[in-house]
Amino acid sequence: MDFSSFLTSLGTSFVIFVVLMLLFAWLSAKPVNNVVYYPNRILRGMDPFEGGYKTRNPFSWIREALSSTEQDVIHMSGVDTAVYFVFLTTVLGILVLSGLILLPVLLPVSVTDNGVKFNATASTSNGTFNQLDKLSMGNIKAGSPRLWAYLIATYWVSFVTLYLLWKAYKHVSRLRSQALMSPEVRPEQFAIIVRDIPGVPQGQTRKEQVDSYFKAIYPDTFYRSLVVTDNKQVNKIWEELEGYKKKLARAEAIHAQSKTIGNPEGTRPTHRTGFLGLIGKKVDSIEYLKGKIDNTLPKLESEQKVTVREKQQNAAIVFFTNRVAASSAAQSLHAQMVDKWTVMDAPEPRQLIWTNLRIRYFEREVRQYVVYAVVAVTVLFYMIPITFVSAFTTLKNLVKILPFIKPIVRIHVLKTVLEAYLPQIALLIFLALLPSFLYFLSKLEGIPTQSHAVRATSGKYFYFTVLNVFIGVTIGGTLFGTFKEIESEPNQIVALLASSLPDNATFFLTFVALRFFVGYGLELSRIVPLIIYHLKRKYACKSEVELKEAWFPGDLAYGTRIPGDMLIVTIVLCYAVIAPLIIPFGVLYFGLAWLVLRNQALKVYVPSYESYGRMWPHMHNRILASLLLYQVTMFGYFGVQKFIYTPLLIPLPIISLVFGFVCAKKFYPAFHRPALEVSAHHLKEVPNMELIFRAFVPPSLSYDKSDDDQFEDALSQISRTTSFA
Amino acid sequence: MDFSSFLTSLGTSFVIFVVLMLLFAWLSAKPVNNVVYYPNRILRGMDPFEGGYKTRNPFSWIREALSSTEQDVIHMSGVDTAVYFVFLTTVLGILVLSGLILLPVLLPVSVTDNGVKFNATASTSNGTFNQLDKLSMGNIKAGSPRLWAYLIATYWVSFVTLYLLWKAYKHVSRLRSQALMSPEVRPEQFAIIVRDIPGVPQGQTRKEQVDSYFKAIYPDTFYRSLVVTDNKQVNKIWEELEGYKKKLARAEAIHAQSKTIGNPEGTRPTHRTGFLGLIGKKVDSIEYLKGKIDNTLPKLESEQKVTVREKQQNAAIVFFTNRVAASSAAQSLHAQMVDKWTVMDAPEPRQLIWTNLRIRYFEREVRQYVVYAVVAVTVLFYMIPITFVSAFTTLKNLVKILPFIKPIVRIHVLKTVLEAYLPQIALLIFLALLPSFLYFLSKLEGIPTQSHAVRATSGKYFYFTVLNVFIGVTIGGTLFGTFKEIESEPNQIVALLASSLPDNATFFLTFVALRFFVGYGLELSRIVPLIIYHLKRKYACKSEVELKEAWFPGDLAYGTRIPGDMLIVTIVLCYAVIAPLIIPFGVLYFGLAWLVLRNQALKVYVPSYESYGRMWPHMHNRILASLLLYQVTMFGYFGVQKFIYTPLLIPLPIISLVFGFVCAKKFYPAFHRPALEVSAHHLKEVPNMELIFRAFVPPSLSYDKSDDDQFEDALSQISRTTSFA
């Protein structure tokens, strides 16, 4: 890729971004779009333009984002979102601090050297050498003492990263503990999940078994238990009922709308009962649906009874009367045989994956390994197409294989644009396909909470992204360019990989640019949700509920954002010293990300769960992994540059590993298990245990019942304390 | 080694054993030796000849040992000893069940084949081929279908091992939980150890800090705390005092003995106060020592006060009013920063290593890795001499290097004996030097309990033993025999190793024989302790205390026994299929071990601590490691025999690894952490918390004090519950 196509790519992306930002400024000022641009505020009952920024200034959102504090973010969007901003800030900090030293020092060093003309290793990348490469480390003569500057830069970037990671981990740890020690009563802090309950003994019900077991161990703090049931059937009926209700509301809305002055009674909506409302008997919708609801209610009630009595499973949620007892119980070993009575801390009720609770201990292990194998196969399978894509990076290659596109390529502008975007677009499409498949796989593992499944998905996606995109493209490009060399010297793959890095650097630079300008432009302007909302509002939605569904924004989905961000981090870190010009692009990307997402977090997205920052250790480890990859790459690259002091880099990966080990020992356990000193903090009020208990009863079971006999027996004191002989 | 020297070795060993057993029968019948042969019974206040076996039948001890139950062992010698017997029984079971199939099937198969004459691989071991080798797998023609029998035998041994290991782990797990749920009040079940306490906040004492911290988390179950102090000085003074007391008792005993009829007043003993009692002023010993004691007592008391007030360290023992609270606290995370307020379950007071309690979290980690490195160096350093020893195995080699011993070797009997014993004796001396060094290293790691240090020592010793003795001797023998072959084909070390196994098998056979006959003969007859006791009694001991010290037997020291046993297990397992004749020797070894040690456990040794079977997971893993080594060896050996179905063995190590993984998941955590359902069992009586607390106060601090003001303040209620912001 030559310099002009790079500039074209950059320019086009920037223009798109400016257009999208202006669109945003214009659209977000219209009150009719408030539900698209301020849904989070609206749902919290706040004024969309709160905070004094009621001006129509198109850049006021920037001022708002910049002046918001971490506490604002926690308040509006939860600890998880705040932690995501810690991630952004940390990466931004790393890049800014690195750039402040690297850019003024390394660029002059490389631009004043022109060793590359005599440099044998650089000649393998014939044709791609251009003005940009003059600013990179590849322009330095092999073995030149100028490489000392790069060596020191390598150390500088490493230490900056480690220092900021340490600070960030400490900060997140404090955020988490502050959130967990909050005086608010949170149901999940009073409950634990018990799985792998052994078979019910003769003469006891499952509930009695669970109650007597925990009553014996916690005579003072045990409150009651909720046995997990197979809710498939009852959920189905409940959803049916909810469906009817929604349709009824819609029918009533249609009816109300039809009440014009000329027709004060309105037209009662009708539909056919058959397939898709197209065939069958024509009925009055309102009457018909009311009848359906009346029929379904008793069905639901009887199914609820059957579920609670007969569909009990080998898992339960156990409630304690104080937080310390629950925290302590959640991390203690209960049974001598570890695959019985396993415990864990309860998540928020809304993120429980009920169907996974019954899966047995060793089955979970087996599932996990099977899923890992499937993911590994997926990663390897995707490797092949991505490698091809990267080989087609240059239109020249494309023309070789598909000669009929030659005429198109002759048009200069088109050629430039194609060269700039072809591979990136292919990459983006690939990456968009994957997350939901990986989430499905993660749930198959038997993970019992949504946030954990999201973390697992994010991890898989990260491995996929880095392996396929970064290593795949680099190796692929190298392989196609220098296949013969590798054939003759298979042991030199690492050296070849390193020597082909500068060529790939410009490719990745355009990739990053495309991503941040177009991606965050779309994110900020919310063009797609806006269009969908207006279409739905006009043609589909009738009732209030339907309207709300149409504009409900969902959550920030940081689970899929992070792997993408991590890819950028990895790319920028790896090229930071080799081609320091990439750093400003990285800074721009993460600066823009911070700004746009801050706006979205405060005004748009509604968190769908809260895991109190449990994502952080994963982000931390992945930044550290990128750092390691960077250090190894630098080691290889210095080797290619025939710098005899290259072994001086060996301590770096060792330091990183020790750092990771120390962090894992010092900080990680408090993310995995609740620390007692945190739970021991005082509550604002005496917790209402009944409410806490109700919070965990699934809606399909608690529906339309003020008090249900099913749970009565749990309250009756179990006088004898059972022994376990 | 030829067949006759093997028989000589076996015969000599057996004669020694018979002589030692007869000596035991004769000596143990004499009442004057009771304290040597029945010290455990005497210390428990039992009649040495309890149980009806008062006959002078020299073999009644065998009947007693065989008829004793596991409960007897637990009662007399604790769970740890019982678990050691589970280990012996399991290994015995594995060998017996293997032998029952392997001996009748494999011996005829190999003896009726004489492929070895045409077998190229066997010819490398020229000169060592003999009658014994005719019974081994080496006698089978390469690629012969007879190898199927050996393949099936390999599977049989593996499955027998896995089955018995599973049963044993279950059994030990039950033993442990039964011991832990006992209704007896055991102080360690009410306490936890807290380390890494952060700096004392302004205006608080260490004790207040600890108390307020735990009071806030456990308002109902916290009893009091005991801050760990630096007891070096006070221990020194206390030992001084104890020394004076002992000397006083001795002086008084001498005085009393001197009171004959002719001299009713007796002679008052005197000594000189200078160096070793040889120079200086002559004084009346009794008066002098009484004066010394009177001087030391106030010194001790003032030092006790100083220690308790000013030498508090960053660790404490915290007591709870019930077992569940302590168990739960011992395994819960307390602080958000994990390197603060780390907890663990308290061991028995007697096995606390006080000086290690103050070592900080990361210092412990660093120490651990440093010690591992030292051990690794030790293992590698010892490798060299052992390799040489093994090369000298044959006198022929010795004569080559030391030609002047040729005349000695000409004497036939001497030559045979030398050939039989030379290498074994060298090995035994090497192995005897090591355990105390390894125990010292383990304590350096910062391990806070004696039993844990013993386990760590045992592990190091195991690695040392197996690596040096087994692999070292085998590879060494192979290297010296076939050095040139390896030089030409360095990749074939595994194949060479496997092909040299049968030659080494006979060497190890004599090693095992020597070990069991001579070793257990000495163990049973207790010749050395007997002689030492009688010498001391006659010439050194005067007072009762001194006498008791002279016969006090110490504990079973299974920590150093197990690595030795494991070496035998590894050897026998590895050769079980290759040379099945080794199995009866293994059975004999472990049968004898069981019998002799059962006698010693019931009558002689006094356990010095109780860890409730925490050694078992280590034994389990090591047997499993031996099994893996066996499976890999067999894979190599079948390859050497050019058996095309060798890949059928690949599932075996995988099955073993999965088995180990399942056991580690299912059983191990209950050995590492106390299971709550176990601690929740009822106690016989309401625990006397004061006594529990006192049990942990070191003798040097509790000495001569009925109540000490130091602990008073702990009992005063801390009214405010501190918060941790």
Side-chain angles (χ1 to χ4, degrees):
Chain A
M1 181 191 307
D2 55 33
F3 196 59
S4 70
S5 72
F6 170 67
L7 282 184
T8 315
S9 157
L10 210 64
T12 331
S13 301
F14 184 70
V15 168
I16 294 174
F17 177 71
V18 169
V19 169
L20 288 171
M21 206 171 72
L22 292 173
L23 254 175
F24 166 71
W26 179 58
L27 289 169
S28 66
K30 290 178 185 283
V32 72
N33 293 333
N34 278 354
V35 288
V36 173
Y37 293 106
Y38 305 95
N40 194 15
R41 288 195 169 176
I42 289 169
L43 284 173
R44 284 169 186 269
M46 290 159 69
D47 174 18
F49 300 105
E50 205 170 7
Y53 299 106
K54 293 191 184 182
T55 56
R56 288 287 176 264
N57 180 345
F59 301 104
S60 66
W61 66 273
I62 295 180
R63 215 177 341 138
E64 270 183 81
L66 288 175
S67 65
S68 64
T69 65
E70 190 164 52
Q71 284 310 314
D72 295 339
V73 175
I74 292 175
H75 176 66
M76 290 299 293
S77 194
V79 177
D80 284 342
T81 310
V83 167
Y84 180 60
F85 281 103
V86 173
F87 165 76
L88 293 178
T89 328
T90 305
V91 173
L92 204 57
I94 293 168
L95 296 182
V96 168
L97 283 183
S98 302
L100 281 181
I101 301 291
L102 263 58
L103 287 174
V105 172
L106 295 189
L107 289 188
V109 167
S110 58
V111 87
T112 56
D113 201 301
N114 50 358
V116 79
K117 283 173 191 160
F118 318 101
N119 199 331
T121 54
S123 67
T124 55
S125 54
N126 55 319
T128 64
F129 175 70
N130 56 36
Q131 295 94 315
L132 269 187
D133 290 346
K134 250 188 107 66
L135 296 170
S136 80
M137 191 172 155
N139 201 36
I140 302 287
K141 255 198 284 289
S144 156
R146 288 179 182 226
L147 290 170
W148 274 107
Y150 289 88
L151 191 92
I152 291 161
T154 310
Y155 265 91
W156 171 251
V157 173
S158 301
F159 283 126
V160 161
T161 309
L162 294 184
Y163 171 70
L164 288 178
L165 277 182
W166 179 263
K167 268 187 62 183
Y169 217 143
K170 252 188 163 157
H171 179 63
V172 172
S173 194
R174 202 169 57 242
L175 283 186
R176 177 175 166 84
S177 66
Q178 272 166 358
L180 288 177
M181 65 173 68
S182 124
E184 304 287 331
V185 172
R186 293 202 176 99
E188 66 270 21
Q189 290 192 304
F190 292 85
I192 65 169
I193 290 177
V194 183
R195 303 168 87 179
D196 308 298
I197 303 175
V200 182
Q202 206 77 41
Q204 266 190 324
T205 66
R206 174 69 76 184
K207 183 147 193 64
E208 284 166 358
Q209 180 199 16
V210 174
D211 285 356
S212 65
Y213 188 87
F214 283 95
K215 196 86 190 148
I217 297 178
Y218 305 98
D220 305 320
T221 51
F222 172 76
Y223 174 64
R224 78 200 306 197
S225 68
L226 170 65
V227 174
V228 170
T229 48
D230 177 5
N231 297 339
K232 208 175 144 190
Q233 197 58 35
V234 75
N235 278 346
K236 210 175 130 193
I237 298 173
W238 185 70
E239 270 155 28
E240 210 177 294
L241 183 67
E242 290 293 298
Y244 290 139
K245 285 189 168 178
K246 211 192 274 177
K247 279 187 194 153
L248 181 63
R250 180 189 165 90
E252 278 169 348
I254 293 171
H255 185 213
Q257 277 171 3
S258 68
K259 284 182 189 162
T260 53
I261 300 162
N263 182 6
E265 273 304 296
T267 323
R268 291 183 75 82
T270 57
H271 72 279
R272 291 176 195 274
T273 55
F275 177 73
L276 283 177
L278 296 176
I279 50 168
K281 209 175 68 174
K282 199 169 184 175
V283 291
D284 179 302
S285 294
I286 295 176
E287 290 305 316
Y288 174 78
L289 289 165
K290 275 185 178 157
K292 275 284 182 191
I293 291 172
D294 288 345
N295 285 341
T296 317
L297 264 176
K299 245 172 81 190
L300 178 66
E301 265 170 47
S302 75
E303 181 58 35
Q304 281 177 345
K305 281 200 187 102
V306 170
T307 304
V308 166
R309 296 236 171 90
E310 286 158 31
K311 294 185 176 173
Q312 298 189 336
Q313 293 183 313
N314 60 346
I317 302 165
V318 174
F319 297 88
F320 295 89
T321 51
N322 69 63
R323 295 202 289 196
V324 174
S327 299
S328 176
Q331 54 190 308
S332 293
L333 183 72
H334 282 74
Q336 178 77 8
M337 289 301 154
V338 185
D339 56 351
K340 299 269 177 285
W341 298 102
T342 52
V343 292
M344 56 174 286
D345 46 330
E348 295 170 306
R350 58 181 167 173
Q351 53 167 314
L352 259 182
I353 302 175
W354 285 78
T355 45
N356 275 349
L357 289 179
R358 70 157 181 281
I359 300 172
R360 296 217 149 266
Y361 191 75
F362 283 109
E363 191 186 337
R364 299 202 290 272
E365 296 283 337
V366 171
R367 276 165 177 253
Q368 200 183 26
Y369 287 104
V370 169
V371 166
Y372 287 173
V374 171
V375 170
V377 168
T378 310
V379 169
L380 292 177
F381 172 79
Y382 265 79
M383 206 81 172
I384 299 160
I386 295 263
T387 310
F388 272 96
V389 165
S390 122
F392 295 155
T393 300
T394 54
L395 269 184
K396 221 183 283 174
N397 281 352
L398 214 60
V399 171
K400 259 188 238 161
I401 295 156
L402 309 167
F404 56 86
I405 61 163
K406 226 173 187 171
I408 305 169
V409 176
R410 288 228 179 90
I411 308 160
H412 186 73
V413 183
L414 204 66
K415 184 190 161 191
T416 318
V417 172
L418 271 180
E419 265 199 348
Y421 282 128
L422 251 182
Q424 289 91 326
I425 289 168
L427 269 182
L428 287 176
I429 291 171
F430 268 125
L431 296 179
L433 290 172
L434 211 61
S436 40
F437 173 61
L438 293 179
Y439 184 69
F440 167 75
L441 281 180
S442 301
K443 268 171 73 173
L444 270 192
E445 280 182 44
I447 291 171
T449 74
Q450 201 191 334
S451 61
H452 187 175
V454 166
R455 287 196 297 279
T457 308
S458 179
K460 293 183 181 73
Y461 197 36
F462 168 74
Y463 289 117
F464 175 85
T465 310
V466 167
L467 277 177
N468 272 306
V469 179
F470 186 63
I471 298 182
V473 168
T474 311
I475 291 187
T478 314
L479 281 182
F480 275 79
T482 56
F483 194 71
K484 267 175 206 158
E485 289 181 46
I486 285 179
E487 234 179 1
S488 58
E489 292 166 273
N491 294 331
Q492 296 201 329
I493 284 182
V494 173
L496 270 170
L497 176 59
S499 75
S500 75
L501 280 181
D503 311 339
N504 288 300
T506 45
F507 164 75
F508 278 120
L509 241 134
T510 43
F511 176 71
V512 172
L514 177 77
R515 213 178 148 110
F516 70 66
F517 280 132
V518 179
Y520 285 111
L522 284 173
E523 176 67 59
L524 180 67
S525 63
R526 287 180 67 75
I527 288 294
V528 182
L530 184 79
I531 294 169
I532 291 174
Y533 165 68
H534 280 293
L535 285 177
K536 277 196 178 165
R537 196 172 67 110
K538 196 140 192 185
Y539 301 107
C541 303
K542 300 293 174 189
S543 63
E544 275 301 308
V545 178
E546 283 173 318
L547 258 187
K548 194 182 156 192
E549 267 174 16
W551 59 256
F552 190 78
D555 69 0
L556 192 61
Y558 61 75
T560 42
R561 275 177 206 280
I562 291 165
D565 296 340
M566 277 313 307
L567 179 63
I568 311 287
V569 174
T570 312
I571 291 167
V572 175
L573 264 187
C574 280
Y575 292 119
V577 171
I578 295 173
L581 215 61
I582 204 172
I583 294 176
F585 289 89
V587 171
L588 213 56
Y589 175 84
F590 284 104
L592 217 57
W594 190 93
L595 206 62
V596 170
L597 291 178
R598 194 80 161 193
N599 181 69
Q600 309 298 84
L602 291 173
K603 299 175 192 160
V604 180
Y605 293 121
V606 180
S608 60
Y609 58 80
E610 173 67 272
S611 71
Y612 305 106
R614 282 197 62 173
M615 191 70 194
W616 176 256
H618 298 259
M619 305 192 212
H620 171 88
N621 285 340
R622 274 159 216 161
I623 298 178
L624 206 60
S626 298
L627 186 71
L628 265 173
L629 189 60
Y630 151 75
Q631 289 163 341
V632 171
T633 308
M634 288 317 294
F635 184 75
Y637 198 65
F638 273 102
V640 169
Q641 292 281 31
K642 300 195 178 64
F643 189 54
I644 55 162
Y645 298 104
T646 307
L648 285 178
L649 289 174
I650 291 174
L652 275 184
I654 296 168
I655 291 170
S656 303
L657 286 174
V658 169
F659 175 84
F661 178 77
V662 169
C663 284
K665 282 273 182 180
K666 185 180 171 81
F667 300 111
Y668 180 65
F671 283 80
H672 183 58
R673 298 150 53 182
L676 295 190
E677 67 172 29
V678 169
S679 340
H681 274 258
H682 281 289
L683 288 165
K684 198 165 62 177
E685 56 198 327
V686 176
N688 181 338
M689 289 309 298
E690 185 61 20
L691 283 184
I692 288 171
F693 174 74
R694 296 263 160 213
F696 274 91
V697 179
S700 59
L701 283 179
S702 66
Y703 180 82
D704 207 32
K705 287 193 166 189
S706 52
D707 80 17
D708 27 16
D709 58 347
Q710 48 165 324
F711 306 117
E712 284 305 281
D713 56 335
L715 285 176
S716 61
Q717 288 291 323
I718 294 158
S719 53
R720 69 199 159 85
T721 353
T722 325
S723 70
F724 301 91
Chain B
M1 181 191 307
D2 54 33
F3 197 58
S4 70
S5 72
F6 170 67
L7 283 185
T8 313
S9 157
L10 210 64
T12 331
S13 301
F14 185 69
V15 168
I16 294 174
F17 178 70
V18 169
V19 168
L20 288 171
M21 205 171 72
L22 291 175
L23 253 175
F24 166 70
W26 181 59
L27 289 169
S28 67
K30 288 178 187 287
V32 72
N33 292 335
N34 278 354
V35 288
V36 173
Y37 292 108
Y38 305 96
N40 194 15
R41 288 194 169 177
I42 289 169
L43 284 173
R44 284 169 186 268
M46 291 160 70
D47 174 17
F49 299 105
E50 206 169 7
Y53 299 107
K54 293 192 184 180
T55 55
R56 288 285 177 265
N57 181 346
F59 299 105
S60 66
W61 67 273
I62 296 179
R63 217 178 339 137
E64 270 181 81
L66 288 175
S67 64
S68 65
T69 65
E70 191 164 52
Q71 284 309 316
D72 295 339
V73 175
I74 292 176
H75 176 66
M76 290 300 293
S77 194
V79 177
D80 285 342
T81 310
V83 167
Y84 181 61
F85 281 104
V86 172
F87 165 76
L88 292 178
T89 327
T90 305
V91 173
L92 204 57
I94 292 169
L95 296 183
V96 168
L97 283 182
S98 302
L100 281 181
I101 300 292
L102 265 57
L103 286 175
V105 172
L106 296 189
L107 289 189
V109 168
S110 58
V111 87
T112 56
D113 202 300
N114 50 359
V116 81
K117 283 175 191 157
F118 317 103
N119 199 332
T121 55
S123 67
T124 55
S125 57
N126 56 319
T128 64
F129 175 71
N130 56 36
Q131 295 95 316
L132 269 187
D133 289 346
K134 247 187 108 71
L135 295 169
S136 81
M137 193 172 154
N139 201 36
I140 303 286
K141 256 198 282 288
S144 155
R146 287 180 183 223
L147 289 170
W148 275 106
Y150 289 88
L151 191 94
I152 291 161
T154 309
Y155 264 91
W156 171 251
V157 172
S158 300
F159 283 127
V160 161
T161 309
L162 294 183
Y163 172 70
L164 289 179
L165 277 181
W166 180 262
K167 268 188 61 183
Y169 217 144
K170 253 190 163 157
H171 179 63
V172 172
S173 194
R174 203 168 56 242
L175 282 186
R176 178 175 165 85
S177 66
Q178 273 167 357
L180 287 177
M181 64 173 70
S182 123
E184 304 286 332
V185 173
R186 294 203 175 98
E188 66 269 21
Q189 290 193 304
F190 292 85
I192 66 170
I193 290 178
V194 183
R195 304 167 87 178
D196 308 299
I197 303 174
V200 181
Q202 206 76 43
Q204 267 191 324
T205 65
R206 174 70 76 183
K207 182 149 193 67
E208 284 166 359
Q209 179 198 18
V210 174
D211 284 357
S212 65
Y213 187 88
F214 283 96
K215 195 87 191 150
I217 298 178
Y218 306 98
D220 304 321
T221 51
F222 172 76
Y223 173 64
R224 77 199 308 197
S225 68
L226 170 66
V227 175
V228 170
T229 47
D230 177 6
N231 298 339
K232 208 175 145 191
Q233 198 59 35
V234 75
N235 277 346
K236 211 176 129 194
I237 297 173
W238 185 70
E239 269 156 28
E240 210 177 294
L241 183 67
E242 291 291 300
Y244 290 140
K245 284 191 169 175
K246 213 193 268 177
K247 279 187 194 151
L248 181 63
R250 182 191 164 88
E252 278 170 346
I254 294 172
H255 186 211
Q257 276 172 4
S258 69
K259 284 180 190 163
T260 52
I261 300 161
N263 181 5
E265 273 302 297
T267 321
R268 289 184 77 83
T270 57
H271 72 279
R272 290 174 194 276
T273 55
F275 178 72
L276 284 177
L278 295 176
I279 50 171
K281 209 178 67 175
K282 199 169 183 176
V283 291
D284 179 303
S285 295
I286 295 175
E287 290 305 316
Y288 175 78
L289 287 165
K290 275 185 178 157
K292 274 284 181 193
I293 291 171
D294 288 344
N295 285 341
T296 317
L297 264 176
K299 246 172 79 189
L300 178 67
E301 265 170 47
S302 76
E303 180 59 34
Q304 280 177 346
K305 279 199 188 105
V306 170
T307 304
V308 165
R309 295 238 171 89
E310 286 158 32
K311 294 185 176 174
Q312 298 189 338
Q313 295 184 311
N314 61 346
I317 301 165
V318 174
F319 298 87
F320 294 91
T321 51
N322 69 63
R323 296 202 288 196
V324 173
S327 298
S328 177
Q331 54 190 307
S332 293
L333 184 70
H334 281 75
Q336 180 76 7
M337 290 300 154
V338 185
D339 57 351
K340 300 268 177 287
W341 298 101
T342 52
V343 292
M344 55 173 285
D345 46 332
E348 295 170 306
R350 58 179 168 175
Q351 53 165 314
L352 260 182
I353 302 175
W354 285 77
T355 46
N356 275 350
L357 289 179
R358 69 158 181 279
I359 301 171
R360 296 214 151 268
Y361 190 76
F362 283 108
E363 191 186 335
R364 298 203 290 271
E365 296 282 336
V366 171
R367 277 166 176 252
Q368 199 183 25
Y369 287 104
V370 169
V371 165
Y372 287 173
V374 171
V375 170
V377 167
T378 310
V379 169
L380 292 177
F381 172 79
Y382 265 78
M383 205 81 172
I384 300 160
I386 294 263
T387 310
F388 272 95
V389 165
S390 122
F392 295 155
T393 300
T394 54
L395 270 184
K396 222 183 282 173
N397 281 351
L398 215 61
V399 171
K400 259 188 237 161
I401 295 156
L402 310 167
F404 55 86
I405 60 161
K406 225 172 188 172
I408 304 168
V409 177
R410 288 226 181 92
I411 307 161
H412 186 74
V413 183
L414 203 65
K415 183 188 162 190
T416 318
V417 172
L418 271 180
E419 267 199 345
Y421 282 128
L422 251 183
Q424 289 92 325
I425 288 170
L427 269 182
L428 287 175
I429 291 171
F430 268 126
L431 296 178
L433 289 172
L434 211 61
S436 40
F437 174 61
L438 293 177
Y439 184 69
F440 167 76
L441 281 180
S442 300
K443 268 170 76 172
L444 270 191
E445 280 182 44
I447 292 171
T449 73
Q450 200 191 336
S451 63
H452 188 175
V454 166
R455 288 197 295 279
T457 308
S458 178
K460 294 183 179 73
Y461 197 36
F462 168 74
Y463 289 116
F464 175 85
T465 310
V466 167
L467 278 178
N468 272 307
V469 178
F470 185 63
I471 299 182
V473 167
T474 310
I475 292 187
T478 313
L479 282 182
F480 276 79
T482 56
F483 194 69
K484 268 176 205 159
E485 289 180 47
I486 287 178
E487 235 179 358
S488 57
E489 292 167 273
N491 294 331
Q492 297 201 328
I493 284 182
V494 172
L496 272 171
L497 177 59
S499 75
S500 75
L501 279 180
D503 311 340
N504 287 301
T506 44
F507 164 75
F508 278 121
L509 243 136
T510 43
F511 176 70
V512 173
L514 177 77
R515 209 177 151 110
F516 68 68
F517 279 133
V518 179
Y520 285 112
L522 284 173
E523 176 67 58
L524 180 67
S525 63
R526 287 179 68 73
I527 288 293
V528 182
L530 185 79
I531 293 169
I532 292 174
Y533 164 68
H534 279 295
L535 285 177
K536 277 195 178 166
R537 196 171 69 110
K538 197 140 192 184
Y539 300 107
C541 304
K542 299 294 174 188
S543 63
E544 275 301 308
V545 178
E546 284 174 317
L547 258 187
K548 194 182 157 190
E549 269 174 15
W551 58 256
F552 190 79
D555 69 0
L556 191 62
Y558 61 76
T560 41
R561 276 177 206 282
I562 291 165
D565 296 341
M566 278 313 306
L567 177 64
I568 310 286
V569 174
T570 312
I571 292 168
V572 174
L573 264 186
C574 280
Y575 291 120
V577 171
I578 295 173
L581 216 61
I582 204 171
I583 294 177
F585 288 89
V587 171
L588 212 56
Y589 175 84
F590 284 103
L592 216 57
W594 190 93
L595 205 62
V596 170
L597 291 178
R598 194 80 161 194
N599 180 68
Q600 309 298 83
L602 290 173
K603 297 177 192 158
V604 180
Y605 293 120
V606 181
S608 60
Y609 58 79
E610 173 67 274
S611 70
Y612 306 106
R614 282 197 62 175
M615 190 70 194
W616 176 256
H618 299 258
M619 305 191 212
H620 171 89
N621 285 341
R622 277 162 212 159
I623 298 179
L624 207 59
S626 297
L627 186 71
L628 266 172
L629 189 60
Y630 150 75
Q631 288 163 341
V632 171
T633 307
M634 287 317 293
F635 184 74
Y637 197 65
F638 272 104
V640 168
Q641 292 280 30
K642 302 193 175 65
F643 189 54
I644 55 163
Y645 298 105
T646 307
L648 285 178
L649 289 175
I650 291 174
L652 275 184
I654 296 169
I655 292 171
S656 302
L657 287 173
V658 169
F659 175 83
F661 178 76
V662 169
C663 284
K665 282 273 183 182
K666 187 182 170 81
F667 298 112
Y668 180 66
F671 282 81
H672 183 55
R673 299 149 53 181
L676 294 189
E677 69 173 27
V678 169
S679 338
H681 274 259
H682 281 290
L683 289 166
K684 199 165 61 176
E685 56 199 326
V686 176
N688 180 338
M689 290 310 297
E690 185 60 21
L691 282 184
I692 287 171
F693 175 74
R694 296 263 159 216
F696 274 90
V697 178
S700 60
L701 283 180
S702 65
Y703 180 82
D704 207 33
K705 287 193 167 188
S706 52
D707 80 17
D708 26 17
D709 58 346
Q710 48 163 325
F711 306 117
E712 283 306 281
D713 57 335
L715 284 177
S716 62
Q717 288 290 323
I718 294 158
S719 53
R720 69 200 159 87
T721 353
T722 325
S723 70
F724 302 92

